[in-house]
Amino acid sequence: MKLTGNRTTDSVGSIQPIRKQPDADVPSSCACRGGSGMETKPELQRVLESRKRDQLIRQRKQEEEARRKISPLEAELLKRHMKLEELERQQEQQQEENLRAPEFVKVRENLRRTSFHADEKEV
């Protein structure tokens, strides 16, 4: 049997193509597959790294949410502050309406107040 290029010849003289055997020693991450020529990490290591990365991302999200959350005390203080602001706005609005009201309405309100205060003192 003689080797000539990609073909072999046997004792009879017939030409047969050489059967190529798979390369067992070539790593699966060969540069011809689009890799950078460096051997890639084993699958288990890649999976572990991706899980670790995912866990870090989840942990950072939880920390961010914890910073954003408002404690019950802060929520109650915020509600009270909003109520006070609303009351102040209503008082300002009432004062503006009183300034625009006719004189007789103002006198009437004053009479009500004085009669109300007088009733309280008698009781």
Side-chain angles (χ1 to χ4, degrees):
M1 190 181 288
K2 289 185 198 176
L3 287 173
T4 57
N6 290 338
R7 300 172 190 246
T8 61
T9 55
D10 57 5
S11 60
V12 179
S14 64
I15 299 174
Q16 298 175 351
I18 296 177
R19 292 185 189 154
K20 190 166 185 172
Q21 296 179 355
D23 297 326
D25 59 335
V26 177
S28 63
S29 63
C30 179
C32 61
R33 288 190 173 194
S36 62
M38 296 175 53
E39 190 172 323
T40 59
K41 299 175 183 174
E43 184 178 356
L44 178 61
Q45 190 174 2
R46 284 193 316 246
V47 170
L48 289 174
E49 287 178 355
S50 68
R51 285 185 182 177
K52 188 175 183 180
R53 192 177 331 112
D54 292 343
Q55 184 179 9
L56 283 173
I57 291 170
R58 274 186 263 127
Q59 184 180 0
R60 287 179 185 161
K61 284 182 182 180
Q62 287 175 351
E63 289 172 358
E64 185 67 27
E65 288 176 9
R67 281 187 227 134
R68 289 182 186 171
K69 286 184 181 177
I70 299 174
S71 69
L73 175 63
E74 290 174 325
E76 189 64 32
L77 288 173
L78 186 61
K79 284 180 187 177
R80 288 184 182 191
H81 181 71
M82 298 299 274
K83 285 181 183 178
L84 286 173
E85 284 183 352
E86 183 64 30
L87 286 172
E88 287 176 2
R89 276 189 241 126
Q90 287 177 354
Q91 286 176 351
E92 287 175 6
Q93 205 173 29
Q94 229 173 10
Q95 287 175 353
E96 288 176 8
E97 288 176 5
N98 286 342
L99 292 175
R100 287 186 251 150
E103 186 67 27
F104 71 91
V105 174
K106 292 178 187 176
V107 171
R108 184 175 171 201
E109 288 295 321
N110 287 337
L111 287 174
R112 282 186 183 171
R113 285 188 199 135
T114 54
S115 65
F116 180 72
H117 291 298
D119 291 340
E120 283 182 352
K121 289 179 184 177
E122 289 177 7
V123 174

